[in-house]
Each structure stands twice: as C-alpha cells, then as structure tokens.
Amino acid sequence: MPSQRRREIASHRRLETAAVVGAAVLAAALGLELAFALDRSEGWLVIGAAVLLGHLVADLVSGLVHWSFDRIFDEGVPYLGPHFVRPFREHHLDPTEITRHDFIELNGNTCIAAIPVLGATWLALPPATGHTGVNFSVAFVVCLTVWTVLTNQFHQWAHQAAPSRWVRLLQRGRIVLSKEHHAEHHVPPFDRRFCITSGVVNPVLDRLRVFPILEWILRRPGSAGRLTS
C-alpha cells in the first residue's frame, strides 16, 4: 500500500475515533438535559413517540444514503468517494467483510455525520425550556441520531453467521435488520431492500418503486444526477 494511502487511512481513523467520542458525549449531554427538562407526566409519552418516530425515519434515511452511495455518487468524489462510497460498493463484492470491522471502523463514519446534527441541536434547541414541542424535537433528534449511528452495527449483525441470542430476538421483532430480510438486497441487480436500520420501511418503498423512479428522474436528459452503477 502506498505511503500516501496509509497516511490517509491513519488520518481518517483518528477522525473516526474523535467522532465516536464526540457523538457519545453530545448525545449523553442532550439526554441528560432532556431528562431534567421533561415533566414526569409527559416524559414517557415524549420519549416513546421520539423513539418510535426516530426508528422509522432512521430506517428511511439509511435507505436513501445506502441507495445514493450504491448507485448515484462516484467513487472519485473527493473525500466522500474513498471514505463513504467505496465501502458500500466493495460490500457487494465481499458482504462478510463487514463482520471483520472493529467498532471504530464500523461506526466512525456515521458518528462523523452525527456530530453536526447533535452540535446544532445543542446550540439551537436547548431542551430545558418546559415546552413539550421543544422537548419532543430534541428527543426526536437524539433518538434519530442514535438509531442512525447504530445502523452499521445492525448491518454487521445481519451478516454474522451466528449472532447472539438477544440479537436474534431483536431481529425477529424487526427492531433491527434481520439476516433474512437483508439477504434480499444482496441478490443482483441489488436494486431493492436498501433500508438497513430495521428494514421496516423497505416493503413500502419497494412497492411504490421509489428508488427506480428516482433513478429514472436522474437518467433524464439534462439531469444533474450521475449514475455510476
């Protein structure tokens, strides 16, 4: 491996490590602020609704990101290409490689994306206001971000030959992505089942042909989109 490539990998590894720590600190800080701000009578309702909605939206976001990296963006795009697009493309060549990634390599990129969201939430929407709407907004952002950050972990579990019993329980409950459901994505031409947090949104998107329609739009003459698959 060329020395320049090794330096780039080492530099990105340091960035990923810092992002994992930073995202965890910000999420914990927002969670504590929220815990002190929530009224006991509204707390369970706010948190429950935020967890559920965050779970669904995270699954949708995972599908949009997965689809765009699989089929839209070019690997030559600066920074985005080598660190985000290429791993998605290579995943189809060796689907089990993800099971050999450590925690930082697996979750670092999603934490990098989470930092600006959590940071902006901390600055713009302080939860200790006593207003239910603001509290719900903060709870939703935190839950959405946590579900999204954990998506690659769920993806890894879906490729493990023998995940633990409690992981299988979560998979059977459709709380996290199951091996059986995700296997349908790894069938050529790899054009369905893009959502990888839990996969619960996939049947709707596939039935409505959302991604093929988006690709058709991007193929139209004069479109700014660039398909690479």
Side-chain angles (χ1 to χ4, degrees), residues 41-184:
S41 61
E42 72 172 4
W44 288 110
L45 179 61
V46 168
I47 295 299
V51 169
L52 178 59
L53 185 60
H55 183 262
L56 293 174
V57 176
D59 199 41
L60 175 61
V61 170
S62 76
L64 290 169
V65 171
H66 187 181
W67 165 75
S68 65
F69 287 164
D70 264 9
R71 304 184 65 85
I72 303 300
F73 288 107
D74 193 284
E75 292 184 39
V77 175
Y79 187 77
L80 190 67
H83 297 301
F84 290 85
V85 178
R86 183 183 297 160
F88 274 88
R89 304 287 173 82
E90 292 177 346
H91 177 62
H92 286 289
L93 301 177
D94 183 6
T96 63
E97 182 187 16
I98 192 172
T99 64
R100 300 188 289 274
H101 291 178
D102 63 21
F103 185 84
I104 298 297
E105 186 177 7
L106 189 65
N107 300 293
N109 282 333
T110 49
C111 286
I112 291 171
I115 290 286
V117 177
L118 292 172
T121 302
W122 177 266
L123 294 173
L125 290 173
T129 62
H131 297 295
T132 300
V134 174
N135 291 337
F136 173 77
S137 297
V138 175
F140 169 70
V141 171
V142 173
C143 291
L144 170 61
T145 305
V146 170
W147 282 118
T148 302
V149 164
L150 292 174
T151 290
N152 273 344
Q153 186 63 66
F154 303 156
H155 189 192
Q156 184 189 65
W157 289 341
H159 282 284
Q160 289 179 340
S164 67
R165 182 177 300 178
W166 69 271
V167 168
R168 289 294 296 170
L169 182 63
L170 293 174
Q171 290 174 335
R172 285 196 295 270
R174 300 300 298 277
I175 297 172
V176 306
L177 185 68
S178 72
K179 184 180 183 70
E180 296 77 14
H181 181 85
H182 186 54
E184 298 179 34

Side-chain angles (χ1 to χ4, degrees), residues 28-51:
L30 283 166
L32 287 173
E33 287 278 348
L34 191 62
F36 287 118
L38 285 174
D39 182 82
R40 184 181 298 273
S41 61
E42 72 172 4
W44 288 110
L45 179 61
V46 168
I47 295 299
V51 169

Side-chain angles (χ1 to χ4, degrees), residues 5-42:
R5 177 60 178 159
R6 286 197 299 269
R7 286 194 296 270
E8 289 177 357
I9 291 174
S11 176
H12 190 69
R13 173 78 177 193
R14 290 191 292 271
L15 177 61
E16 288 179 315
T17 303
V20 168
V21 174
V25 169
L26 281 170
L30 283 166
L32 287 173
E33 287 278 348
L34 191 62
F36 287 118
L38 285 174
D39 182 82
R40 184 181 298 273
S41 61
E42 72 172 4

